[in-house]
Amino acid sequence: MTMTIPQETLDQLTHVPMPKHVATRQPNEMLQLGADIIPVYRSEALVIGSGAAGLRAAVELRRRHIDVLVATQTLFWGTSACSGSDKQTLHTAATSKQGDNFIKLAQALGAGGAMDADTAYVEAVGSVEAFAGLKYIGLPLPEDRYGAILRYQTDHDEAGRATSCGPRTSRLMVKVLAEEAIRLGVAFVDHSTVIRLLVAGEGRERKIAGAIAINSGDRGENNPTGLAIYLCPSLVLAAGGPGELFRDSVYPKRCFGSLGLGLEAGITAVNLTEHQFGIGTRRDEFPWNLSGTYVQCMPYIYSVDDKGNEHNFLAEYYRTTQELAANIFRKGYQWPIHATRMLDFGSSLVDLAIFSESQSGRTILMDFNRNPQPVAGDESFSLERLEPDVASYLSNNDALLPLPIDRLRRMNPLAIELYKYHGQDISQAPLAFNVNHQHMNGGLAVDTWGQTSLSGCYAIGEAAGTHGVTRPGGAALNAGQVFGLRCAKQIANQTASPPLAVAQLHKQIAQCMADITQGLSNESGLSLQQIKADIQQRMSDKAGFICYADEVSDALQAAQQLNQVIQQQGIAIPYVNKVAVSFQWRHMALASEALLTALDFYISQGGGSRGARAICSAQGEAVPESRQGPLADYRFITEKPEHRQQQLTVTYQQGKFAVTVSSLRQLDDLNAIFFEKNWPDFLTGALYR
């Protein structure tokens, strides 16, 4: 019999406070440019971002005696601290009560295509150390009575490699890593927004030199904007993904990420066409993914029109009540939309129906106090008529209970507590939701140590484009931890370089200051609100999970025109505390054009529907069907198998984006690795070079 979990325990796993007192850093020197006196911070390594990936890098660097500084927009805040799902997944490398096979795990990570084989293997092997490190510093991962980690099956995961601490898993990761960083004396600069990367050298000699930031704590009479300079030979971009890119988004607000920042510096990006979209609550309320037990408890999903009339719209798509309920349930472990699952009455037909219904202006709701309502002419929902996978799952979890809220409370009471904590009691009232953008699988291209095309500059977490077309649920958290550790190892084994004189970067700093001055006095420049609306509307309407092939080229031209206007007219900065956000929207405009450039190129090469995006066209080969017949408006082009063996890279040079088709990196022959032969590479540090 399942025990009732004490309220105190539920509270501890839902209300996760962050530490507040961290070591701070004073400037090493001051730079005078004109009337401004600008602080200069020096460190051996700079980490941008204080989420789970950035903190892992900082902790591992500090453990290796590297002088590391963390610059963060808001301390211990961001996607990893504020996002999640019913029981947010941490992907592990041990499963089926028999350990795991790293080759098979790597194959699972890259099963959707467009993922480098060596990266997949690095993530598979590295997951053990990453996982054990988190457990060691206090992440409360659940165990059985034998000490084995409890696991379950999740998205794109046939082996059951997932585990969880509940809805706040990634926030708990941030908490324990933040506490470890504090114990180690890692220094932080809070309220610091990096607005431009500093680069030394030319051509193949280009390398990272540091960054320019706006630090609210450095504002003063001689520095009204709070401009600050960071100088470092190694820099780690860990500020997450471009959450503000789409209007329909489940990201917390003000998540701009590092993509545009990196693109502006000429860093190559990869797989920008690949994303995750899925159902979640709306961003203007409490944004949260509705995966796992939120749907495995099979709530009633319906819509309400502007007159208050209720519509059982899913009943227009599925053939029987049993089939309808089963596909709501399967959204639990098939949460991300996948184009092929819109066919044959699969689980992504749920998302397509929600999208179509919301396009008509109706509000979509989820009611946990009612079971799915019947399809016309069919029998009512019954626990006696469940499909085998549904019945087995609910039976194994003692959840064959009368109502969705009963089933949810039995399987995952934390899922209820979380919404209650944010002012929504789903045990009492229906929950409004929609289809949202949730994750960028692409990002800045990196090697197997996390280093980008700019020497000394690393990208980890969602800033890095290490994922392919699909990925198992929780693999993103694993990737951030693995590459946080990997980049720290390589940085710590680099030969120390002489300190860079700030005078060598005067030209770049002066140009940035000129851009700020021009924006503050630019009454004819584009407004921030105008840029935001332009980008987000275009991306959600033209590059969402339903994407019409013949509309992408025009969307790209509009994005290019926006960047041209920004270059020519500039951005109007209304007051001094909007300087940082003006650069962030400049970066979003670049990221938008880069993504649409890649998507337009992909479609022009005959690219079809894969992962979370359906490329719709009258010439498409596949048509989703509903119980009322074919859904001709959503006819889509199918994926070409050869595209799985390629990646599209995008680079920004001389004000234009260029696309290159690259073959996937392969894994070297592992049978050629032997202890005595390869140990010297480790002892001498040669393997890190």
Side-chain angles (χ1 to χ4, degrees):
M1 183 175 177
T2 303
M3 292 181 62
T4 300
I5 301 172
Q7 186 64 42
E8 180 183 3
T9 301
L10 296 176
D11 289 344
Q12 288 173 351
L13 291 173
T14 305
H15 316 154
V16 181
M18 292 296 174
K20 297 179 180 178
H21 303 292
V22 299
T24 58
R25 177 72 64 87
Q26 296 302 311
N28 296 79
E29 60 195 85
M30 305 301 287
L31 170 68
Q32 182 153 2
L33 281 178
D36 293 329
I37 300 176
I38 304 166
V40 178
Y41 298 82
R42 291 184 180 272
S43 60
E44 292 178 302
L46 175 71
V47 175
I48 300 173
S50 60
L55 286 173
R56 186 61 183 260
V59 162
E60 298 295 347
L61 283 162
R62 189 69 184 136
R63 283 176 179 164
R64 289 162 176 78
H65 310 293
I66 299 298
D67 174 30
V68 58
L69 180 61
V70 178
T72 181
Q73 183 172 290
T74 305
L75 197 63
F76 312 139
W77 179 95
T79 307
S80 51
C82 301
S83 295
S85 53
D86 73 318
K87 51 182 187 293
Q88 192 180 19
T89 298
L90 179 64
H91 198 80
T92 71
T95 184
S96 303
K97 306 174 183 65
Q98 299 171 355
D100 209 342
N101 179 314
F102 291 129
I103 297 294
K104 289 184 178 179
L105 174 52
Q107 290 170 346
L109 290 170
M115 184 175 187
D116 292 312
D118 55 2
T119 294
Y121 186 71
V122 161
E123 289 186 12
V125 173
S127 62
V128 173
E129 187 174 1
F131 181 78
L134 289 171
K135 200 168 186 294
Y136 175 74
I137 62 174
L139 189 67
L141 292 164
E143 299 177 356
D144 66 18
R145 63 183 179 275
Y146 302 107
I149 298 298
L150 295 172
R151 296 180 178 87
Y152 57 92
Q153 185 179 353
T154 186
D155 316 327
H156 304 294
D157 166 32
E158 298 305 320
R161 294 182 175 101
T163 190
S164 176
C165 308
R168 292 294 200 181
T169 297
S170 64
R171 185 173 178 86
L172 285 162
M173 288 169 63
V174 173
K175 181 178 188 290
V176 297
L177 285 163
E179 290 169 346
E180 183 71 3
I182 291 167
R183 279 193 290 269
L184 293 170
V186 172
F188 292 82
V189 180
D190 195 9
H191 305 299
S192 175
T193 304
V194 171
I195 60 172
R196 190 159 290 174
L197 298 181
L198 292 169
V199 178
E202 299 289 341
R204 293 185 178 180
E205 300 302 315
R206 291 178 86 242
K207 61 182 181 179
I208 195 70
I212 305 174
I214 299 296
N215 294 353
S216 61
D218 286 321
R219 288 197 184 113
E221 183 180 349
N222 296 317
N223 187 14
T225 63
L227 204 69
I229 307 299
Y230 295 111
L231 297 183
C232 55
S234 298
L235 184 148
V236 182
L237 294 169
E244 289 288 352
L245 201 54
F246 289 80
R247 177 194 62 225
D248 305 325
S249 171
V250 79
Y251 287 80
K253 291 185 178 180
R254 298 191 300 117
C255 287
F256 290 91
S258 308
L259 178 58
L261 181 70
L263 288 167
E264 184 183 53
I267 297 175
T268 297
V270 67
N271 280 350
L272 295 184
T273 55
E274 310 310 322
H275 312 256
Q276 282 193 338
F277 294 89
I279 56 173
T281 36
R282 301 176 301 191
R283 201 177 192 203
D284 290 337
E285 294 146 1
F286 168 55
W288 204 254
N289 290 336
L290 294 172
S291 60
T293 47
Y294 284 119
V295 278
Q296 285 170 322
C297 71
M298 294 175 294
Y300 173 41
I301 293 175
Y302 66 102
S303 68
V304 174
D305 61 28
D306 56 5
K307 295 180 181 178
N309 298 313
E310 185 177 302
H311 301 268
N312 181 22
F313 67 94
L314 285 181
E316 300 169 10
Y317 288 81
Y318 288 99
R319 296 166 292 189
T320 66
T321 308
Q322 182 176 333
E323 183 180 68
L324 185 158
N327 280 287
I328 293 174
F329 170 88
R330 290 175 189 136
K331 291 302 301 173
Y333 58 91
Q334 296 176 355
W335 175 83
I337 295 160
H338 197 286
T340 59
R341 290 198 186 113
M342 297 194 305
L343 304 173
D344 301 321
F345 299 92
S347 62
S348 289
L349 187 60
V350 171
D351 305 276
L352 182 59
I354 291 167
F355 171 80
S356 182
E357 193 75 359
S358 64
Q359 290 293 100
S360 68
R362 293 175 179 173
T363 299
I364 316 299
L365 295 123
M366 189 177 282
D367 191 339
F368 293 91
N369 285 301
R370 286 190 284 174
N371 287 309
Q373 299 299 291
V375 169
D378 193 27
E379 296 179 276
S380 296
F381 173 87
S382 170
L383 294 175
E384 302 300 319
R385 287 188 304 279
L386 298 175
E387 295 199 5
D389 59 324
V390 182
S392 174
Y393 187 95
L394 295 178
S395 176
N396 288 341
N397 287 284
D398 298 329
L400 287 169
L401 299 169
L403 292 175
I405 192 65
D406 301 326
R407 299 190 284 267
L408 182 59
R409 188 174 285 114
R410 174 61 58 87
M411 291 190 289
N412 191 1
L414 285 169
I416 302 169
E417 292 296 315
L418 183 79
Y419 271 100
K420 189 180 294 184
Y421 177 65
H422 288 275
Q424 293 176 279
D425 189 348
I426 62 175
S427 70
Q428 300 297 317
L431 186 65
F433 73 102
N434 213 324
V435 176
N436 299 317
H437 181 245
Q438 187 259 352
H439 194 276
M440 278 284 289
N441 279 6
L444 300 175
V446 297
D447 64 14
T448 56
W449 296 102
Q451 189 165 203
T452 69
S453 59
L454 178 60
S455 179
C457 183
Y458 296 78
I460 61 174
E462 198 175 347
T466 56
H467 307 299
V469 176
T470 60
R471 60 177 178 80
L477 285 178
N478 179 64
Q481 295 300 294
V482 169
F483 277 99
L485 179 59
R486 293 277 293 179
C487 74
K489 288 180 178 181
Q490 189 177 61
I491 290 168
N493 281 276
Q494 299 303 304
T495 303
S497 54
L500 188 69
V502 70
Q504 294 177 245
L505 304 168
H506 272 193
K507 184 177 179 181
Q508 294 175 62
I509 298 168
Q511 180 59 59
C512 186
M513 291 180 68
D515 291 343
I516 294 170
T517 301
Q518 192 265 348
L520 287 168
S521 60
N522 186 2
E523 295 181 359
S524 62
L526 294 178
S527 72
L528 296 173
Q529 194 59 39
Q530 182 181 356
I531 295 171
K532 175 181 177 179
D534 189 354
I535 293 170
Q536 291 186 341
Q537 179 177 336
R538 179 164 49 251
M539 293 303 296
S540 280
D541 293 345
K542 306 301 181 184
F545 91 94
I546 295 296
C547 172
Y548 289 93
D550 58 1
E551 295 180 355
V552 172
S553 182
D554 287 345
L556 171 58
Q557 290 181 29
Q560 291 170 334
Q561 184 177 8
L562 174 62
N563 276 308
Q564 289 168 5
V565 173
I566 290 173
Q567 289 294 325
Q568 293 163 6
Q569 292 180 217
I571 299 173
I573 305 175
Y575 29 85
V576 73
N577 65 355
K578 290 292 184 181
V579 168
V581 79
S582 73
F583 280 85
Q584 289 174 317
W585 279 112
R586 186 188 296 262
H587 296 152
M588 284 298 95
L590 286 174
S592 173
E593 183 181 338
L595 191 155
L596 289 167
T597 298
L599 186 57
D600 185 59
F601 182 91
Y602 176 70
I603 292 171
S604 73
Q605 301 300 302
S609 306
R610 65 184 194 180
R613 182 175 283 114
I615 308 294
C616 297
S617 169
Q619 286 72 50
E621 304 89 348
V623 186
E625 287 194 57
S626 73
R627 72 186 296 265
Q628 297 178 337
L631 300 171
D633 288 346
Y634 303 113
R635 176 184 289 272
F636 63 84
I637 302 167
T638 55
E639 181 186 15
K640 286 184 167 55
E642 60 266 28
H643 287 160
R644 290 185 166 216
Q645 305 307 314
Q646 301 173 348
Q647 290 179 335
L648 298 183
T649 60
V650 180
T651 308
Y652 186 62
Q653 294 177 331
Q654 283 85 47
K656 293 183 179 180
F657 285 100
V659 181
T660 303
V661 179
S662 303
S663 298
L664 301 182
R665 295 196 309 260
Q666 299 304 310
L667 185 63
D668 291 337
D669 182 7
L670 299 177
N671 292 321
I673 298 175
F674 294 94
F675 185 90
E676 287 81 2
K677 182 174 76 173
N678 294 100
W679 191 13
D681 287 346
F682 173 79
L683 293 174
T684 62
L687 75 92
Y688 301 108
R689 297 189 289 273

